[in-house]
Amino acid sequence: MTVLTGREPARELRASIATELGEFAGPPSLTFVRSASHPAGAAYARQVSRGARRVGVPVSEQLLHETSTTAEAVGLVERLAADEQVQGIIVGLPLPSSVDTASVVAAVPPSKDVDRITRAAIGAVLAGASELAPGVATAVVRLLEYYEIPLAGRRAAVVGRSRSVGKPVALLLLARDATVIMCHSRTRDLADVTSQADVLVACVGRPGLITREHVKPGAVVIDVGATYTADGLKGDVDADGVAQVASAYSPVPGGVGPLTVYCLLENLLSLTREAQGG
Ligand code: NAP
């Protein structure tokens, strides 16, 4: 059984980003718009900032409060959209409950949408017009490619269908000619469905949901789940059980996670190059 760790491909990607950055007149910058009080948003910003610092990309933060209004939040994103010193904007979810998330996300121009969560960005991937997808989706595919896991013609099950994780993962696998089965909370007999897959990608956020019964013997299992528990960061996969049947699996922590940040920074570089007409 092979453990698909993300550290080696992340190191390679980091080095290539650092080299590419040398081709820019100045490093592009990234701004987070997020809740001042939500720990998940803060943890995400911290993780991205750490990776960005390592390659020399400046990151700043604009904080929203429980008293912030939708108009204030949208106004803030519009100012960042017009600011030539800002090349990338990330809306860190969840936003304060006083703010309408859809309106804030819609204010991010596709040209600065590093997370690729605007309708235009997702639509472009769906139309096959762009490969720029959310960092986590790109990281899943990068990890599979790094370990030379074949996808063309193989059955891939994606568990989870969110706009920012499950759906883009499925689209990227489809673009690589996998036969994609999408599963979600309404899927009946989940184990029946997922145990037909050669590649199983879990994007749910429920620790231990995927057990050995869900996995076809010899399948490759990618764990995207990242849930903070009292026992630390947990994926969706019961690693001990699944290790007995899978041919390879990606651990949490240390699998998809380390790659995600650099896939995101790669998006920033691509968008900056596009904006500069390169
Ligand atoms: P989300 O918006 O809550 O979506 C969860 C998805 O899982 C939904 O589509 C839901 O189905 C489905 N689901 C829930 N319970 C299920 C069940 N019992 N059986 C089958 N499907 C079920 O979460 P998300 O934003 O997509 O994130 C998913 C996970 O990825 C989280 O743990 C998140 O922390 C992690 N994540 C990791 C990274 C990384 O870098 N590793 C980056 C981003 C996110 P319905 O649509 O039917 O409700």
Side-chain angles (χ1 to χ4, degrees):
M1 219 267 317
T2 312
V3 180
L4 309 174
T5 71
R7 298 216 162 83
E8 296 79 8
R11 206 176 298 126
E12 274 186 17
L13 188 54
R14 188 173 69 224
S16 97
I17 289 173
T19 308
E20 275 183 65
L21 272 170
E23 296 161 13
F24 288 82
S29 79
L30 194 55
T31 299
F32 271 86
V33 175
R34 69 169 180 87
S35 157
S37 54
H38 203 286
Y44 182 40
R46 230 181 359 257
Q47 194 191 0
V48 173
S49 302
R50 212 170 23 235
R53 242 193 332 268
R54 293 183 80 165
V55 291
V57 166
V59 177
S60 60
E61 293 190 76
Q62 297 281 349
L63 301 180
L64 299 173
H65 302 274
E66 289 303 318
T67 50
S68 300
T69 63
T70 299
E72 285 165 354
V74 168
L76 170 62
V77 172
E78 286 174 348
R79 281 195 297 284
L80 294 170
D83 186 342
E84 288 180 7
Q85 304 303 315
V86 175
Q87 281 73 39
I89 303 168
I90 293 183
V91 176
L93 304 179
L95 292 178
S97 51
S98 55
V99 167
D100 176 45
T101 299
S103 305
V104 180
V105 169
V108 178
S111 59
K112 296 191 179 185
D113 176 16
V114 174
D115 248 349
R116 311 309 289 157
I117 57 166
T118 55
R119 288 186 190 180
I122 296 167
V125 178
L126 181 64
S130 172
E131 272 272 292
L132 284 193
V136 62
T138 308
V140 168
V141 167
R142 278 282 171 94
L143 194 66
L144 290 166
E145 288 176 346
Y146 181 84
Y147 288 99
E148 299 180 347
I149 311 284
L151 290 170
R154 301 183 87 203
R155 281 190 197 172
V158 179
V159 189
R161 58 173 166 181
S162 73
R163 174 167 158 171
S164 56
V165 188
K167 278 182 189 154
V169 165
L171 289 176
L172 294 190
L173 294 174
L174 190 60
R176 279 154 186 80
D177 297 324
T179 299
V180 181
I181 311 162
M182 292 195 71
C183 308
H184 43 78
S185 68
R186 307 291 295 272
T187 299
R188 280 197 204 146
D189 301 326
L190 183 66
D192 244 23
V193 180
T194 57
S195 58
Q196 296 172 27
D198 305 302
V199 176
L200 170 56
V201 188
C203 324
V204 178
R206 294 196 175 206
L209 175 75
I210 304 297
T211 62
R212 58 178 297 168
E213 285 72 38
H214 293 81
V215 178
K216 175 179 168 179
V220 173
V221 180
I222 304 294
D223 194 352
V224 178
T227 307
Y228 290 90
T229 72
D231 295 332
L233 186 63
K234 297 285 175 203
D236 291 337
V237 174
D238 163 30
D240 291 341
V242 166
Q244 292 169 29
V245 283
S247 63
Y249 90 101
S250 73
V252 175
V256 171
L259 257 176
T260 300
V261 169
Y262 295 106
C263 291
L264 201 70
L265 292 172
E266 212 183 25
N267 283 350
L268 176 68
L269 265 56
S270 300
L271 290 175
T272 306
R273 220 180 279 113
E274 272 175 28
Q276 293 172 349

